[in-house]
Amino acid sequence: MGKSLLDKVWERHSVRELESGQTQLFIGLHLVHEVTSPQAFAMIREAGLGVPFPDRTFATVDHIIPTDTQVRPLADGQAETMMSAIESNCREFGIRLFTPESGHQGIVHVIGPELGLTQPGMTIACGDSHTSTHGAFGAVAFGIGTSQVRDVLASQCLAIQRPKVRRVEVTGRLRPGVYAKDVILDVIRRLGVKGGVGFAYEYAGEVFDAMSMEERMTVCNMSIEGGARLGYVNPDRTTVEYLRGRSFAPTGDAFTRAEAWWTSMASDPDASFHDRVSIDGRGIAPTVTWGINPGQAIGVDEKVPAAAAFAADERATVEDAYEYMGLAAGQAIAGTKIDVAFIGSCTNGRLSDLREAAKVARLGRVKPGVKALVVPGSQAVARAAEAEGLHETFRAAGFEWRLPGCSMCLAMNPDKLSGRQVCASSSNRNFKGRQGSPSGRTLLMSPAMVAAAAIEGAVVDVRDFLSKAPA
Amino acid sequence: MTDQAKKSALLPVTRVSGRPIPLPGNDIDTDRIIPARFMTAITFDGLGELAFRDARFGADGKPLDHPMNDPRFRAKGPRVAIVNKNFGCGSSREHAPQAMWRWGVQAIVGESFADIFFGNCVAMGIPCVTASEADVASLLRAVEADPSQDLVVDLDAMTATRGGTSVPVSMPEGARTQLLRGTWDATRILVDALPKVRETADRLPYVGGFAR
């Protein structure tokens, strides 16, 4: 019987089995940001511990950084304190930090891949649940809490249980106007927000084979929203070609050796899995969330489902969602008015996302009264987008073009909803209060769908827009 | 010294007894437990009173109908929370269990827990044990009827007991062993193996930049 990628990576990174039965797992790449690390550094200092592998940790600032101006000191004193803390912590322990001055700053899950830090066959941890993003490369990548950030800093290891593996196949081809975001929203809708607890998702099938690395990142990013702490795609030609020439990728003969090792880590054809799920890609529609978790999603041409359509133990959450969202069963989701449109985040803040949104932005202007933000995922994404003139496209259509950061995905910076505003968002969570207002409402969708909603002032099927586009 | 550092000496967690606090509902995410706007700080201090802030207080600051505001559940001291399915889903923020712990929660009994939240709790020495849907429902009912009796989580016997009634609970064996032996703060154990960690690293071709 063959091995899965997860088995191979786990075995290569296992330092020893602990008394508890857990694995002491070596972490090949540790990524750090300003929100979940200061307490970990404080614990290291208080316990008199060191950081034995400082060159295997990289840091950036993304959550608290403003997107209008990043001039220091930051206007928010607490944000400035966090910024200063990560600077001094990284200096003290010899960790490389990508600040805005470096030209490489951005959302941690955008810069890791674009710098070539993220590579196949690695174990990757970060104090951030969307670390699953890096699984797009065939890495075993998952989020951890602050005490575990301390453990990785102090030992480059974690005490952890090996997850089960579920193979999630999406077959066939996606229809026009259907994006990676729709695929993962559809997967979560089918398997549920807790379906993946205890699992790693291995994404496979023609749809993933055909995806670019950026699309694979979008899918893996939201594995955690389905309860799976990690998700991955086996490394292939697309992975290898993406990495060629990246700053931290090997070069020359070393790249050739790397390529052989990377592809050897892919799951064997006869690998065994705990279970398998298969979805027909042709059946996936542009998808929108209507509720308060990412599994409460429907095709844009569908109606808000009745509570009776759900399992008995889910109905309370469904009723809660109707009330919070101000939506009723049987109501079409298309036509739902929006106040804010947000394009960005570690899910959908990369160049290809901005290109798809810009295609739609060229077809109209943001509806008066709608606030529309485009926040590139990193400085590199911003430079590439500006080189193509995408910023001008967005501005001409009435969108604001901002500086890189997490921004309104979780609203730890000044970009927040107010009151009961409704936001069409390319981010990953529609939890109550997620976008900064305790009563703010989020509708998750693809970046192209967000752009269309910004122009329409309401949820609209992006396929109707694209059909108007000149060929 | 922070509270966390004080807690991190090897302390076995075998039995936690506390006043019950019901936190019913499936899929309660960590944004709900601690909204992100309270995380712009470099310590976990002061998070206790902010736990479930937006579920407990309206925009006008007035208290809402929530168990944590209910005078019957406000008695000070250690607490044991009772939850339903997929508790702690979403963001990996340890601020969530830190806020609950600072509000007094020292153990949680529920139907199921999100993976990252569960791991964070173990790393803080907070047992999260699971019980059947029926047993959690009856615990919630019993606690609503009489909040005054303590709930006891026993990791040796693997039971949750209230008054004369016990229900069986479970927990992955690795985490249970860590708590029972007091090795839930794994740092020292991991650091002890540093020579072996270096050997493992040296065998990984990427650590040496694929130089050979």
Side-chain angles (χ1 to χ4, degrees):
Chain A
M1 188 61 86
K3 288 178 181 172
S4 68
L5 177 141
L6 184 111
D7 293 332
K8 294 183 193 183
V9 173
W10 204 271
E11 286 158 20
R12 293 293 300 244
H13 290 78
S14 172
V15 174
R16 57 174 177 160
E17 191 176 315
L18 297 169
E19 261 188 1
S20 62
Q22 293 165 312
T23 306
Q24 176 162 357
L25 191 73
F26 178 75
I27 300 302
L29 175 65
H30 182 211
L31 300 169
V32 161
H33 64 67
E34 74 282 16
V35 177
T36 55
S37 68
Q39 301 87 345
F41 282 111
M43 293 182 219
I44 291 279
R45 213 175 276 121
E46 284 174 22
L49 295 162
V51 178
F53 294 86
D55 54 346
R56 303 227 67 84
T57 295
F58 293 84
T60 190
V61 280
D62 51 10
H63 284 60
I64 54 98
I65 199 151
T67 61
D68 47 1
T69 167
Q70 298 175 346
V71 173
R72 304 284 297 275
L74 302 176
D76 175 347
Q78 284 177 302
E80 177 58 33
T81 301
M82 295 177 84
M83 184 92 169
S84 306
I86 197 164
E87 286 171 330
S88 61
N89 286 329
C90 288
R91 209 178 306 121
E92 179 180 346
F93 292 102
I95 291 164
R96 180 118 177 228
L97 168 67
F98 298 112
T99 59
E101 299 75 54
S102 72
H104 302 297
Q105 176 267 341
I107 306 174
V108 65
H109 311 307
V110 175
I111 69 163
E114 74 189 9
L115 288 169
L117 288 166
T118 301
Q119 295 174 14
M122 278 182 169
T123 46
I124 302 179
C126 172
D128 194 290
S129 63
H130 292 114
T131 308
S132 56
T133 309
H134 307 262
F137 291 78
V140 168
F142 51 88
I144 55 177
T146 297
S147 295
Q148 291 168 317
V149 171
R150 168 203 61 199
D151 289 350
V152 180
L153 287 171
S155 69
Q156 205 60 35
C157 290
L158 287 168
I160 194 165
Q161 203 93 37
R162 186 194 299 216
K164 298 170 282 189
V165 185
R166 171 174 297 146
R167 188 162 156 106
V168 179
E169 291 182 357
V170 182
T171 59
R173 286 181 59 177
L174 300 179
R175 295 187 185 280
V178 178
Y179 302 90
K181 181 64 158 287
D182 302 306
V183 173
I184 187 61
L185 285 173
D186 191 80
V187 168
I188 299 166
R189 175 189 181 183
R190 286 165 197 269
L191 303 183
V193 291
K194 42 190 167 285
V197 172
F199 283 92
Y201 281 175
E202 173 173 310
Y203 300 105
E206 291 108 312
V207 163
F208 299 110
D209 291 344
M211 278 185 183
S212 69
M213 288 313 295
E214 295 192 355
E215 292 174 304
R216 293 175 186 180
M217 285 186 241
T218 298
V219 171
C220 291
N221 173 274
M222 288 187 70
S223 301
I224 184 65
E225 312 312 334
R229 192 174 187 176
L230 61 132
Y232 65 85
V233 177
N234 283 303
D236 62 4
R237 291 302 324 155
T238 306
T239 321
V240 170
E241 291 315 315
Y242 177 95
L243 282 161
R244 199 184 295 279
R246 303 263 159 196
S247 305
F248 285 86
T251 54
D253 290 348
F255 190 88
T256 310
R257 284 188 289 272
E259 186 179 346
W261 192 75
W262 291 339
T263 47
S264 77
M265 298 305 281
S267 291
D268 295 327
D270 59 344
S272 69
F273 300 95
H274 184 274
D275 55 35
R276 291 167 184 263
V277 176
S278 183
I279 295 169
D280 180 359
R282 288 163 301 192
I284 301 174
T287 301
V288 185
T289 61
W290 59 269
I292 53 171
N293 70 50
Q296 293 176 328
I298 49 176
V300 65
D301 46 5
E302 292 179 61
K303 293 181 167 60
V304 175
F310 293 85
D313 67 344
E314 285 184 36
R315 287 177 201 154
T317 309
V318 169
E319 298 284 354
D320 193 14
Y322 295 150
E323 190 191 337
Y324 185 83
M325 297 301 292
L327 293 169
Q331 188 175 341
I333 195 71
T336 306
K337 296 269 186 291
I338 66 152
D339 306 293
V340 177
F342 170 62
I343 295 169
S345 85
C346 59
T347 312
N348 281 128
R350 298 183 183 80
L351 183 61
S352 57
D353 299 313
L354 304 188
R355 282 179 181 157
E356 293 300 329
K359 277 185 202 164
V360 177
R362 284 187 194 103
L363 302 172
R365 276 196 59 83
V366 172
K367 183 99 167 178
V370 172
K371 181 183 178 68
L373 292 186
V374 183
V375 183
S378 69
Q379 293 179 315
V381 170
R383 281 192 296 273
E386 286 170 9
E388 292 180 13
L390 299 185
H391 62 315
E392 296 300 350
T393 302
F394 285 119
R395 281 179 180 151
F399 291 82
E400 295 176 39
W401 176 253
R402 295 294 191 91
L403 298 168
C406 299
S407 181
M408 208 184 269
C409 174
L410 86 168
M412 283 194 70
N413 75 349
D415 307 335
K416 296 178 199 294
L417 298 184
S418 62
R420 296 191 75 219
Q421 280 184 324
V422 175
C423 180
S425 182
S426 74
S427 56
N428 41 56
R429 289 187 173 135
N430 51 340
F431 297 151
K432 288 180 176 181
R434 172 73 179 182
Q435 293 192 285
S437 162
S439 54
R441 294 172 284 176
T442 304
L443 304 170
L444 301 176
M445 58 189 85
S446 70
M449 283 277 287
V450 175
I455 292 167
E456 191 74 14
V459 176
V460 60
D461 192 334
V462 69
R463 293 172 296 193
D464 298 341
F465 264 73
L466 294 173
S467 64
K468 289 186 283 186
Chain B
M1 223 172 159
T2 62
D3 294 343
Q4 191 59 33
K6 270 181 234 156
K7 250 189 121 202
S8 63
L10 287 189
L11 293 175
V13 178
T14 7
R15 192 172 172 279
V16 179
S17 175
R19 296 292 291 270
I21 174 75
L23 296 169
N26 290 335
D27 307 315
I28 292 183
D29 58 77
T30 54
D31 276 84
R32 199 104 56 98
I33 300 172
I34 189 77
R37 66 181 186 280
F38 300 129
M39 302 200 310
T40 44
I42 57 169
T43 70
F44 292 127
D45 298 344
L47 287 179
E49 279 309 312
L50 298 169
F52 288 94
R53 180 68 176 67
D54 294 337
R56 292 174 63 194
F57 299 95
D60 52 6
K62 293 217 177 86
L64 303 172
D65 182 21
H66 190 274
M68 288 169 71
N69 294 341
D70 186 333
R72 298 180 307 143
F73 299 116
R74 287 289 296 174
K76 294 277 180 212
R79 302 167 202 269
V80 176
I82 309 166
V83 304
N84 291 111
K85 293 189 176 79
N86 199 27
F87 187 80
C89 61
S91 162
S92 64
R93 61 189 68 166
E94 189 171 306
H95 301 68
Q98 290 282 354
M100 291 178 69
W101 185 67
R102 282 167 163 71
W103 196 75
V105 174
Q106 297 190 355
I108 313 178
V109 181
E111 290 180 61
S112 64
F113 297 91
D115 287 335
I116 303 178
F117 180 87
F118 178 88
N120 287 342
C121 285
V122 174
M124 292 174 61
I126 302 173
C128 295
V129 296
T130 56
S132 71
E133 183 171 351
D135 284 341
V136 169
S138 70
L139 265 179
L140 285 169
R141 273 195 306 274
V143 161
E144 276 292 340
D146 175 10
S148 66
Q149 288 196 60
D150 279 1
L151 181 59
V152 183
V153 172
D154 187 328
L155 295 183
D156 247 338
M158 289 311 280
T159 53
T161 306
R162 193 181 156 277
T165 318
S166 278
V167 299
V169 295
S170 47
M171 176 178 238
E173 207 44 45
R176 179 177 172 235
T177 307
Q178 281 184 295
L179 290 162
L180 285 173
R181 297 196 185 160
T183 58
W184 46 268
D185 179 348
T187 316
R188 291 286 173 191
I189 291 164
L190 297 173
V191 169
D192 282 348
L194 267 179
K196 269 197 99 168
V197 176
R198 290 188 199 283
E199 284 169 30
T200 308
D202 289 344
R203 282 197 301 271
L204 287 162
Y206 67 80
V207 171
F210 294 98
R212 54 195 158 80

